[in-house]
Amino acid sequence: MGEMNHQPGVPPPVGVPPPMGMQPMMNAPVGAGAMHQPYEQFNQLNYCVHSNPSWVQVAGLAFLHYLVMLGSTVMLVSIIVPAMGGGPGEKARVIQAFLFVSGINTLLQTLVGTRLPTVMNASFAFVVPVLSIARQFNTNDFESNHERFVHTMRATQGALIVASILNMILGYSRAWGAFAKKFSPVIMTPVVCVVGLGLFQIGFPQVGKCVEIGLPMLILAIVVQQYAPLYFRHIHERTTFLFERYSLLLCIGIVWAFAAILTAAGAYNHVSLKTQQHCRTDKSFLISSAPWIKISYPFHWGPPIFTAGHSFGMMGAVLVSSFESTGAHFATARLAGATPPPAHVLTRSIGLQGIGIFLAGLCGAPAGSSVSVENIGLLGLTKVGSRRVIQISTGFMIFFSIFGEVW
């Protein structure tokens, strides 16, 4: 009863399986997105945005992301703070402010922004307007360089606060989303290339300022990342994994130890002061000048100074950083195995970036934030696009922004 009748000796018909698109799927966790293997989304990607390595690997990769963003932060601060009249003490405090703001902005972007593994860091697009503000204040008008630095910082803070409003308007009015709909691959590919290659004029000349340190680092990074895994693959698979995943961390430790040995051996005792500042490991005075405990709070340099000319100049940098972040989001999505961010996600991210620039103006960080292109390159280098790694790296940023002596 209820069974289908069929002729004797004839096998019952076999049901045709439904098409691939009609097959039932297991219920994915809420907010997890489509569950695909990483290799289906990007070639040689070990972990995509939703998949996570072990906690030990997460901690190591998070610290590596922190080191990469710290290097670009120190480079930016070394450019603008001396021009503002600051010394090692001011450098250390500004670095701590940048770390605190970057940690908060990165955490917000990974939670409620694009939710991509992007690190928000100080943008070099703000160097020109900040230096322009610094040049308008003559040293002779102040009793000390510290007083000049504080006055320049207050003027920069006011310009950042006003300029951040433009970013928030573009984002939360959805005007940026209307422009983002026209961002085709033909448009975004040159933007991503210009953003990445534009950093060479800032970072690569630093190698020539101390060739005996910079050149070995460059060669060692290429050899360890590109050739060492191929050689050690026949010896043990674990060594190949370590070279591919943590090669940059290994190179930083080796080259810094090499620089410390040269400094202790007296290799730079009879060279110019400029060479000593670039090559010695004990001439920056950042760690010794940093306070043991420092919590960034609003207006700790004093109340901001609002000037129309400074604010309009800073708005240009805000627009440039918005274009940088937009192109960087597409590159991050590609390297993290995620779909390209749609217009409403981009506009939400730009609005949130405006809040981050406003926070930088409050907490004494003299430059706005954008997506760190260096950390995007690290995603492709380590083949790990996990969002959790970036979120854990914000813990390192906030921790070292408070405890400066343990840098």
Side-chain angles (χ1 to χ4, degrees), residues 295-364:
I295 299 177
S296 298
Y297 57 91
F299 307 134
H300 65 272
W301 296 112
I305 300 174
F306 298 98
T307 307
H310 298 164
S311 301
F312 280 111
M314 200 67 74
M315 286 181 185
V318 164
L319 289 176
V320 173
S321 66
S322 298
F323 279 103
E324 287 182 354
S325 296
T326 302
H329 285 315
F330 281 94
T332 304
R334 175 63 174 162
L335 292 175
T339 57
H344 71 278
V345 173
L346 288 176
T347 190
R348 183 177 64 203
S349 170
I350 295 301
L352 197 60
Q353 181 174 320
I355 295 178
I357 297 175
F358 183 82
L359 180 63
L362 290 180
C363 296

Side-chain angles (χ1 to χ4, degrees), residues 178-200:
F179 291 111
K181 293 179 181 179
K182 305 181 184 300
F183 292 161
S184 64
V186 178
I187 297 175
M188 294 314 302
T189 300
V191 173
V192 174
C193 292
V194 169
V195 170
L197 295 176
L199 297 178
F200 274 92

Side-chain angles (χ1 to χ4, degrees), residues 255-272:
V255 174
W256 193 93
F258 176 65
I261 293 173
L262 291 179
T263 301
Y268 304 110
N269 291 343
H270 304 288
V271 297
S272 63

Side-chain angles (χ1 to χ4, degrees), residues 76 79-80 123-133 135 202 317 366-367:
L76 177 65
I79 295 173
I80 62 177
S123 173
F124 284 89
F126 292 86
V127 171
V128 174
V130 172
L131 293 181
S132 176
I133 295 174
R135 292 191 186 101
I202 299 174

Side-chain angles (χ1 to χ4, degrees), residues 47 225 230 308 385:
Y47 296 95
Q225 174 65 27
L230 299 177

Side-chain angles (χ1 to χ4, degrees), residues 2 17 42 47 55 76 106 113 116 147 153 184 218 245 247 297 301 333 347 357 373 378 382 388 391 399:
F42 188 70
Y47 296 95
W55 283 106
L76 177 65
T106 303
L116 291 170
E147 184 179 346
M153 176 65 75
S184 64
L218 184 61
R245 194 67 53 83
S247 59
Y297 57 91
W301 296 112
T347 190
I357 297 175
V373 182
L378 188 59
T382 59
R388 178 180 294 175
Q391 291 173 342
F399 175 82

Side-chain angles (χ1 to χ4, degrees), residues 57-354:
Q57 296 183 44
V58 166
L61 292 170
F63 185 70
L64 185 55
H65 275 278
Y66 161 74
L67 288 180
V68 170
M69 67 82 57
L70 177 63
S72 59
T73 301
V74 172
M75 186 184 303
L76 177 65
V77 171
S78 300
I79 295 173
I80 62 177
V81 171
M84 297 168 66
E90 287 80 11
K91 277 186 182 181
R93 286 162 177 80
V94 170
I95 290 173
Q96 288 178 278
F98 273 128
L99 290 178
F100 177 78
V101 172
S102 296
I104 298 298
N105 291 342
T106 303
L107 192 60
L108 290 176
Q109 283 287 350
T110 55
L111 291 177
V112 297
T114 59
R115 303 190 75 238
L116 291 170
T118 52
V119 173
M120 304 299 294
N121 196 12
S123 173
F124 284 89
F126 292 86
V127 171
V128 174
V130 172
L131 293 181
S132 176
I133 295 174
R135 292 191 186 101
Q136 293 185 9
F137 301 107
N138 193 355
T139 308
N140 299 327
D141 298 335
F142 303 94
E143 296 181 356
S144 64
N145 284 330
H146 178 73
E147 184 179 346
R148 174 173 172 258
F149 170 79
V150 172
H151 189 83
T152 307
M153 176 65 75
R154 291 170 56 193
T156 305
Q157 287 181 262
L160 282 173
I161 292 173
V162 175
S164 66
I165 299 175
L166 174 62
N167 226 356
M168 287 186 276
I169 292 176
L170 288 175
Y172 292 116
S173 66
R174 297 189 178 183
W176 195 262
F179 291 111
K181 293 179 181 179
K182 305 181 184 300
F183 292 161
S184 64
V186 178
I187 297 175
M188 294 314 302
T189 300
V191 173
V192 174
C193 292
V194 169
V195 170
L197 295 176
L199 297 178
F200 274 92
Q201 64 177 350
I202 299 174
F204 197 76
Q206 301 295 326
V207 178
K209 293 181 179 179
C210 187
V211 180
E212 59 269 29
I213 302 298
L215 192 59
M217 176 64 186
L218 184 61
I219 296 175
L220 185 63
I222 295 175
V223 171
V224 172
Q225 174 65 27
Q226 301 297 327
Y227 297 102
L230 299 177
Y231 176 76
F232 287 99
R233 182 173 299 171
H234 305 287
I235 300 177
H236 197 280
E237 184 179 355
R238 188 68 177 176
T239 56
T240 304
F241 161 78
L242 293 176
F243 278 122
E244 289 182 347
R245 194 67 53 83
Y246 304 103
S247 59
L248 187 58
L249 191 62
L250 177 65
C251 294
I252 292 174
I254 293 176
V255 174
W256 193 93
F258 176 65
I261 293 173
L262 291 179
T263 301
Y268 304 110
N269 291 343
H270 304 288
V271 297
S272 63
L273 180 61
K274 187 175 182 179
T275 303
Q276 292 184 18
Q277 290 176 348
H278 288 106
C279 297
R280 293 182 67 98
T281 58
D282 57 355
K283 283 294 184 181
S284 62
F285 303 110
L286 291 179
I287 297 179
S288 59
S289 302
W292 273 102
I293 298 177
K294 175 188 174 295
I295 299 177
S296 298
Y297 57 91
F299 307 134
H300 65 272
W301 296 112
I305 300 174
F306 298 98
T307 307
H310 298 164
S311 301
F312 280 111
M314 200 67 74
M315 286 181 185
V318 164
L319 289 176
V320 173
S321 66
S322 298
F323 279 103
E324 287 182 354
S325 296
T326 302
H329 285 315
F330 281 94
T332 304
R334 175 63 174 162
L335 292 175
T339 57
H344 71 278
V345 173
L346 288 176
T347 190
R348 183 177 64 203
S349 170
I350 295 301
L352 197 60
Q353 181 174 320

